[in-house]
């Protein structure tokens, strides 16, 4: 038995896992952002709810672990930023601790229990507030020791022109410190930025997608440009990784026609041709972070 966690900037969710299909949720608590002692005590409280000592702890967490130093970069939770979190938590909790990025855990969940079952190379792509991803090969994370593989949302990959007919696309600053990342024009915030740029109107992403599905011409133009912009970087990532299925997570994965449009565009731009959908909505709709952490922990791998 293990205890797994899904840790974000607002909440810490825990669960007991005996198998990936047997996950019993534990308490949900507010994430202590600025007090590391309180952060550790919160984890202890959740572990105590399990009623017995687990074999290990596995957690899905916002942020990325440096594969060389094992230090975590986590802007959303300042009290853990820069710490060698796995080693510190293991010493304080007295248990082996395994940590993976939340996008990596989404990819693991989809590979083990979702749309990626039966596929050797699974690229889990996030289209939520921003753009992210994780890569699983033969059931194992490429980022088993931490790292940035699968993060197709970052890097100066945005085209200067996009859409039919083409329109000039400004280069936007990205929160990662670079300029022109897919994250700046993809997913929810990117869609809203594109709509403002193209039409001078501030709308939320759900308003844009609803208008698009109802035949609104301006929303259709925004979606056309968005799909064109993100499909080429995603196609390049598929070519490089050899992924044969790309489950999509995040809020925009719920907009089925949008995922279908991205799938059509990506399949037209990759070397290998598929006569089936490649880019598909993720199937782990509830707590993919906990499912991915459970798969990670139950594999029994510790750093």
């Amino acid at each position: 038995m293990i205890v797994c966690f899904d840790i974000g900037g607002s909440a810490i969710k825990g669960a007991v896992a005996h198998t990936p299909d047997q996950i019993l949720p534990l308490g949900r608590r507010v994430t202590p952002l600025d007090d590391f002692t309180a952060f550790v005590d919160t984890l202890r409280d959740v572990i105590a709810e399990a009623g017995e000592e687990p074999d290990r702890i596995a957690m899905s967490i916002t942020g990325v672990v440096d594969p060389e130093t094992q230090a975590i970069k986590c802007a959303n939770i300042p009290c853990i930023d820069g710490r060698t979190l796995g080693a510190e938590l293991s010493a304080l909790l007295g248990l082996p601790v395994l940590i993976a990025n939340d996008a990596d855990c989404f990819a693991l969940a989809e590979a083990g229990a979702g749309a990626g079952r039966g596929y050797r190379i699974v690229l889990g792509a996030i289209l939520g507030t921003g753009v992210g991803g994780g890569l699983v090969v033969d059931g194992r994370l490429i980022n088993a020791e931490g790292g940035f593989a699968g993060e197709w949302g970052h890097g100066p990959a945005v085209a200067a022109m996009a859409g039919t007919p083409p329109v000039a696309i400004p280069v936007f600053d990205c929160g990662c410190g670079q300029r022109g990342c897919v994250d700046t024009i993809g997913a929810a915030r990117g869609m809203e930025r594109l709509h403002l740029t193209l039409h001078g109107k501030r709308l939320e992403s759900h308003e844009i997608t609803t208008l698009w599905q109802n035949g609104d011409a301006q929303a259709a133009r925004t979606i056309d440009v968005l799909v064109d912009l993100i499909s080429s970087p995603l196609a390049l990532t598929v070519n490089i990784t050899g992924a044969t299925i790309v489950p999509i997570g995040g809020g925009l994965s719920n907009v089925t026609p949008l995922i279908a449009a991205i799938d059509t565009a990506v399949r037209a731009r990759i070397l290998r041709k598929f006569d089936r959908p490649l880019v598909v909505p993720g199937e782990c709709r509830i707590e993919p972070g906990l499912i991915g952490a459970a798969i990670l922990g139950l594999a029994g791998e510790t750093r």
Side-chain angles (χ1 to χ4, degrees):
M1 183 272 283
I2 70 164
V3 171
C4 51
F5 288 94
D6 185 3
I7 301 177
S10 59
I12 291 177
K13 293 176 282 187
V16 169
H18 294 275
T19 72
D21 297 323
Q22 291 181 302
I23 299 176
L24 177 64
L26 298 172
R28 176 189 178 109
R29 290 164 169 78
V30 175
T31 304
L33 299 179
D34 301 304
D35 186 337
F36 185 63
T37 298
F39 180 87
V40 176
D41 287 343
T42 301
L43 299 183
R44 282 200 182 98
D45 288 346
V46 175
I47 294 168
E49 276 190 46
E52 60 180 295
E53 183 169 296
D55 296 323
R56 64 188 61 84
I57 303 300
M59 56 182 62
S60 165
I61 195 165
T62 178
V64 179
V65 174
D66 186 300
E68 294 183 358
T69 67
Q70 292 299 296
I72 190 168
K73 181 64 180 175
C74 184
N76 290 350
I77 309 174
C79 71
I80 66 172
D81 187 43
R83 292 180 178 271
T84 52
L85 189 63
E88 292 185 49
L89 289 179
S90 181
L92 291 167
L93 298 174
L95 293 165
V97 175
L98 192 57
I99 297 173
N101 168 263
D102 50 4
D104 288 340
C105 283
F106 166 76
L108 261 182
E110 288 297 325
R117 282 174 296 184
Y119 293 92
R120 180 170 173 260
I121 304 176
V122 179
L123 174 66
I126 303 296
L127 293 175
T129 302
V131 178
L135 185 63
V136 175
V137 179
D138 294 331
R140 289 173 52 87
L141 277 176
I142 290 294
N143 290 333
E145 299 299 323
F148 297 84
E151 287 292 348
W152 68 285
H154 293 280
V158 173
M161 304 288 291
T164 305
V167 62
I169 303 300
V171 177
F172 298 104
D173 292 331
C174 184
C176 75
Q178 302 186 93
R179 303 186 74 229
C181 292
V182 179
D183 191 80
T184 65
I185 52 78
R189 299 295 83 79
M191 180 188 293
E192 294 161 4
R193 181 180 286 120
L194 276 178
H195 198 76
L196 178 62
T197 300
L198 293 170
H199 309 298
K201 295 181 180 179
R202 294 186 183 275
L203 294 178
E204 294 187 5
S205 60
H206 69 89
E207 295 176 302
I208 298 167
T209 55
T210 298
L211 286 168
W212 169 54
Q213 292 177 86
N214 289 333
D216 181 82
Q218 289 187 342
R221 177 62 162 159
T222 298
I223 298 299
D224 172 59
V225 172
L226 174 78
V227 170
D228 193 15
L229 284 170
I230 68 175
S231 293
S232 288
L234 186 52
L236 177 61
T237 306
V238 170
N239 279 346
I240 291 171
T241 61
T244 52
I245 194 74
V246 184
I248 303 294
L252 290 186
S253 69
N254 297 313
V255 187
T256 304
L258 176 61
I259 304 307
I262 295 170
D263 173 60
T264 298
V266 168
R267 284 196 284 144
R269 302 178 194 201
I270 56 177
L271 286 172
R272 181 178 177 182
K273 300 306 177 185
F274 293 86
D275 58 3
R276 58 163 175 83
L278 172 68
V279 181
V280 298
E283 293 181 0
C284 297
R285 312 307 293 177
I286 300 174
E287 307 295 1
L290 286 176
I291 295 171
I295 292 171
L296 191 70
L298 290 167
E301 304 169 23
T302 56
R303 295 188 189 121

